[in-house]
Amino acid sequence: MKELEKLLPGKKGILFVYDALRIGGCERVITVLAKSFASKGIPVTILMIKKDIIEFDVPENVTVKTFKDYPQKILKSVEGLSIYLKLQWSKLANKVLALHKPWQDKYKDTLEARAGMWRIYSRYCGFMKACFDDYKEYIVISFMDNPNFATLLTSKHCSNTVIVSERSHPDRDDIQIYFRKYRNKLYSRADLCVFQLDGARTYFPARVQSKSVVIENPITQVLPEPHKGPRRKEIITFCRLDDVQKNLTGLINAFEKIHERFPEYNLAIYGKGAHQDYLQEHINSLKLSNRVELRPYDSKVHDIVKDAAMFVSFANYEGLSNSMLEAMAIGMPVICSDCPPGGARLMITHGENGLLVPVGDEEKLSEAMVYMLTHPEEAEAMGIKAANIRNRCDPEAISEKWLQAIKSTLTKVDNI
């Protein structure tokens, strides 16, 4: 108990909040941190607010809760009723706007964004409040946009210390203007905001930046040692099959430009996601089905791919890519797009421990792949240097940064 008081003054544990524990980078960070915190004697619970799905090995000393554990679906208060009425009003207003195109062009995005916000509130706030009340002496740590929104909206009714973590590119195209404004307002309510990159923090107003900290991602502790020796004639990537963010069609197109010159090489994409069928159709349309393969994600993917020729990430935007970090940590030659808000640029020094290419430039990507394949000694040297990332992103070092940030935040809250 005394040790816990040193680690979390005045608190009894940590409650992580996220959609579900699917295979993904953010989910991996949560489980790595949960394992590290629990090993230090800190009680840890993970609340999954959207799906009852667990695709990671959760340590036995970490509790998992889902929305099914809290049957209260509606916040029973005047504010809860007010939010419900606002949702109905937004739905009606959008129907009215549909009758007059100039109004629709001017106001539809704002009303749809508002309706989305009210839906988040009405869908999650009731059962989340019940959970927060059960864990009222825990620190709540939420990850990503929707869980962060739901957590901060719910926290108005609770006494928890709340930390939110921004994990992606905050200025990406799919975030509507109204959501951006409301996100800034909500994030200023948090006791602490954790960013992966300073480049992401700068998108937010001063009132958010003033209560924020930048902490890199931890690398999973179960990675194999870097491969030594000849490499398999395969180019690989592993990620969620989300073509809007990951630009996997661009990667396939770049490979198509070089496959005749290197007929012995294949491209393998490990993962699953909403765009799997679309990507397979694209592969078929280029007549590459015998050269490009979509493979299911495997929990031992690092052991499978460690001797491949190279890892490539061609994302349009990315926080601090876990797959990039893990590929570097196992000594693979790595090519990444220099995408916002700057995670690849932070970790890769072009020509020393990997190669950077402009976002969306398929020609430059194909040239980079050709360079790696025609300069195997230089590629191997880059992989060796890339493996040094293990020390920088060691899980224990990263979890210690989190604990220091949490303790500092608790001190500030107590002094208010």
Side-chain angles (χ1 to χ4, degrees), residues 29 133 177 209 212 214 275 277 303 341 363 389 396-397:
V29 170
D133 286 343
I177 293 175
Q209 294 189 42
S212 68
V214 175
H275 293 159
D277 292 342
D303 292 291
E363 192 64 40
I389 205 74
E396 292 308 309

PDB file of all heavy atoms in Angstrom, residues 29 133 177 209 212 214 275 277 303 341 363 389 396-397:
ATOM      1  N   VAL A  29      -0.256  -0.534 -27.233  1.00  0.00           N
ATOM      2  CA  VAL A  29       0.309   0.386 -26.245  1.00  0.00           C
ATOM      3  C   VAL A  29      -0.413   0.238 -24.906  1.00  0.00           C
ATOM      4  O   VAL A  29       0.222   0.189 -23.842  1.00  0.00           O
ATOM      5  CB  VAL A  29       0.207   1.842 -26.746  1.00  0.00           C
ATOM      6  CG1 VAL A  29       0.573   2.821 -25.628  1.00  0.00           C
ATOM      7  CG2 VAL A  29       1.136   2.058 -27.941  1.00  0.00           C
ATOM      8  N   ASP A 133     -17.939   5.695 -11.340  1.00  0.00           N
ATOM      9  CA  ASP A 133     -18.337   5.738  -9.928  1.00  0.00           C
ATOM     10  C   ASP A 133     -17.758   4.539  -9.163  1.00  0.00           C
ATOM     11  O   ASP A 133     -17.358   4.663  -8.006  1.00  0.00           O
ATOM     12  CB  ASP A 133     -19.860   5.760  -9.801  1.00  0.00           C
ATOM     13  CG  ASP A 133     -20.453   7.113 -10.178  1.00  0.00           C
ATOM     14  OD1 ASP A 133     -19.690   8.101 -10.223  1.00  0.00           O
ATOM     15  OD2 ASP A 133     -21.676   7.183 -10.430  1.00  0.00           O
ATOM     16  N   ILE A 177     -14.816  20.356 -39.054  1.00  0.00           N
ATOM     17  CA  ILE A 177     -14.421  21.589 -38.370  1.00  0.00           C
ATOM     18  C   ILE A 177     -15.084  21.699 -37.005  1.00  0.00           C
ATOM     19  O   ILE A 177     -14.449  22.076 -36.013  1.00  0.00           O
ATOM     20  CB  ILE A 177     -14.776  22.811 -39.238  1.00  0.00           C
ATOM     21  CG1 ILE A 177     -13.909  22.825 -40.502  1.00  0.00           C
ATOM     22  CG2 ILE A 177     -14.585  24.112 -38.454  1.00  0.00           C
ATOM     23  CD1 ILE A 177     -14.266  23.920 -41.482  1.00  0.00           C
ATOM     24  N   GLN A 209      -2.016  22.752 -24.688  1.00  0.00           N
ATOM     25  CA  GLN A 209      -0.577  22.501 -24.645  1.00  0.00           C
ATOM     26  C   GLN A 209       0.009  22.730 -23.252  1.00  0.00           C
ATOM     27  O   GLN A 209       0.964  22.054 -22.856  1.00  0.00           O
ATOM     28  CB  GLN A 209       0.136  23.407 -25.652  1.00  0.00           C
ATOM     29  CG  GLN A 209      -0.189  23.103 -27.108  1.00  0.00           C
ATOM     30  CD  GLN A 209       0.693  23.871 -28.063  1.00  0.00           C
ATOM     31  OE1 GLN A 209       1.892  24.006 -27.853  1.00  0.00           O
ATOM     32  NE2 GLN A 209       0.108  24.384 -29.141  1.00  0.00           N
ATOM     33  N   SER A 212       0.065  19.456 -21.008  1.00  0.00           N
ATOM     34  CA  SER A 212       0.333  18.293 -21.859  1.00  0.00           C
ATOM     35  C   SER A 212       1.774  17.834 -21.709  1.00  0.00           C
ATOM     36  O   SER A 212       2.632  18.545 -21.186  1.00  0.00           O
ATOM     37  CB  SER A 212       0.053  18.631 -23.328  1.00  0.00           C
ATOM     38  OG  SER A 212       1.002  19.571 -23.808  1.00  0.00           O
ATOM     39  N   VAL A 214       4.702  15.015 -23.955  1.00  0.00           N
ATOM     40  CA  VAL A 214       4.963  14.143 -25.113  1.00  0.00           C
ATOM     41  C   VAL A 214       5.697  12.901 -24.626  1.00  0.00           C
ATOM     42  O   VAL A 214       6.745  13.009 -23.990  1.00  0.00           O
ATOM     43  CB  VAL A 214       5.802  14.873 -26.181  1.00  0.00           C
ATOM     44  CG1 VAL A 214       6.170  13.911 -27.314  1.00  0.00           C
ATOM     45  CG2 VAL A 214       5.038  16.073 -26.731  1.00  0.00           C
ATOM     46  N   HIS A 275     -11.136  -2.635 -45.376  1.00  0.00           N
ATOM     47  CA  HIS A 275     -10.845  -2.488 -46.798  1.00  0.00           C
ATOM     48  C   HIS A 275     -10.194  -3.730 -47.424  1.00  0.00           C
ATOM     49  O   HIS A 275      -9.602  -3.639 -48.495  1.00  0.00           O
ATOM     50  CB  HIS A 275      -9.944  -1.270 -47.015  1.00  0.00           C
ATOM     51  CG  HIS A 275     -10.615   0.023 -46.702  1.00  0.00           C
ATOM     52  ND1 HIS A 275      -9.936   1.185 -46.418  1.00  0.00           N
ATOM     53  CD2 HIS A 275     -11.937   0.340 -46.608  1.00  0.00           C
ATOM     54  CE1 HIS A 275     -10.791   2.159 -46.187  1.00  0.00           C
ATOM     55  NE2 HIS A 275     -12.009   1.667 -46.282  1.00  0.00           N
ATOM     56  N   ASP A 277     -11.503  -6.473 -48.863  1.00  0.00           N
ATOM     57  CA  ASP A 277     -12.077  -6.842 -50.164  1.00  0.00           C
ATOM     58  C   ASP A 277     -11.677  -5.834 -51.238  1.00  0.00           C
ATOM     59  O   ASP A 277     -11.350  -6.210 -52.375  1.00  0.00           O
ATOM     60  CB  ASP A 277     -13.595  -6.942 -50.067  1.00  0.00           C
ATOM     61  CG  ASP A 277     -14.047  -8.122 -49.215  1.00  0.00           C
ATOM     62  OD1 ASP A 277     -13.230  -9.037 -48.984  1.00  0.00           O
ATOM     63  OD2 ASP A 277     -15.210  -8.129 -48.772  1.00  0.00           O
ATOM     64  N   ASP A 303       8.142 -12.771 -35.661  1.00  0.00           N
ATOM     65  CA  ASP A 303       8.990 -13.942 -35.936  1.00  0.00           C
ATOM     66  C   ASP A 303       8.886 -14.344 -37.404  1.00  0.00           C
ATOM     67  O   ASP A 303       9.861 -14.817 -37.994  1.00  0.00           O
ATOM     68  CB  ASP A 303       8.546 -15.110 -35.053  1.00  0.00           C
ATOM     69  CG  ASP A 303       8.827 -14.856 -33.582  1.00  0.00           C
ATOM     70  OD1 ASP A 303      10.006 -14.830 -33.201  1.00  0.00           O
ATOM     71  OD2 ASP A 303       7.870 -14.673 -32.816  1.00  0.00           O
ATOM     72  N   PRO A 341       1.769  13.598 -38.285  1.00  0.00           N
ATOM     73  CA  PRO A 341       2.455  14.791 -37.783  1.00  0.00           C
ATOM     74  C   PRO A 341       3.942  14.606 -37.518  1.00  0.00           C
ATOM     75  O   PRO A 341       4.529  15.352 -36.750  1.00  0.00           O
ATOM     76  CB  PRO A 341       1.716  15.078 -36.476  1.00  0.00           C
ATOM     77  CG  PRO A 341       1.322  13.727 -35.978  1.00  0.00           C
ATOM     78  CD  PRO A 341       1.019  12.903 -37.205  1.00  0.00           C
ATOM     79  N   GLU A 363       6.204   7.057 -57.143  1.00  0.00           N
ATOM     80  CA  GLU A 363       7.449   6.951 -57.897  1.00  0.00           C
ATOM     81  C   GLU A 363       8.649   6.942 -56.956  1.00  0.00           C
ATOM     82  O   GLU A 363       9.565   6.123 -57.092  1.00  0.00           O
ATOM     83  CB  GLU A 363       7.557   8.119 -58.879  1.00  0.00           C
ATOM     84  CG  GLU A 363       8.669   7.962 -59.911  1.00  0.00           C
ATOM     85  CD  GLU A 363       8.436   6.776 -60.844  1.00  0.00           C
ATOM     86  OE1 GLU A 363       7.286   6.554 -61.254  1.00  0.00           O
ATOM     87  OE2 GLU A 363       9.438   6.074 -61.133  1.00  0.00           O
ATOM     88  N   ILE A 389      16.600   1.364 -31.726  1.00  0.00           N
ATOM     89  CA  ILE A 389      15.354   1.968 -31.238  1.00  0.00           C
ATOM     90  C   ILE A 389      14.838   1.245 -29.997  1.00  0.00           C
ATOM     91  O   ILE A 389      14.052   1.792 -29.222  1.00  0.00           O
ATOM     92  CB  ILE A 389      14.291   1.953 -32.365  1.00  0.00           C
ATOM     93  CG1 ILE A 389      13.264   3.058 -32.154  1.00  0.00           C
ATOM     94  CG2 ILE A 389      13.590   0.622 -32.469  1.00  0.00           C
ATOM     95  CD1 ILE A 389      13.770   4.429 -32.466  1.00  0.00           C
ATOM     96  N   GLU A 396       9.735  -0.291 -20.020  1.00  0.00           N
ATOM     97  CA  GLU A 396       9.893   0.177 -18.642  1.00  0.00           C
ATOM     98  C   GLU A 396      10.255   1.656 -18.601  1.00  0.00           C
ATOM     99  O   GLU A 396       9.776   2.401 -17.733  1.00  0.00           O
ATOM    100  CB  GLU A 396      10.936  -0.664 -17.909  1.00  0.00           C
ATOM    101  CG  GLU A 396      10.492  -2.094 -17.656  1.00  0.00           C
ATOM    102  CD  GLU A 396       9.125  -2.152 -16.972  1.00  0.00           C
ATOM    103  OE1 GLU A 396       8.936  -1.470 -15.937  1.00  0.00           O
ATOM    104  OE2 GLU A 396       8.240  -2.854 -17.484  1.00  0.00           O
ATOM    105  N   ALA A 397      11.074   2.097 -19.542  1.00  0.00           N
ATOM    106  CA  ALA A 397      11.435   3.516 -19.601  1.00  0.00           C
ATOM    107  C   ALA A 397      10.219   4.373 -19.943  1.00  0.00           C
ATOM    108  O   ALA A 397      10.006   5.442 -19.359  1.00  0.00           O
ATOM    109  CB  ALA A 397      12.541   3.735 -20.627  1.00  0.00           C
TER     110      ALA A 397
END
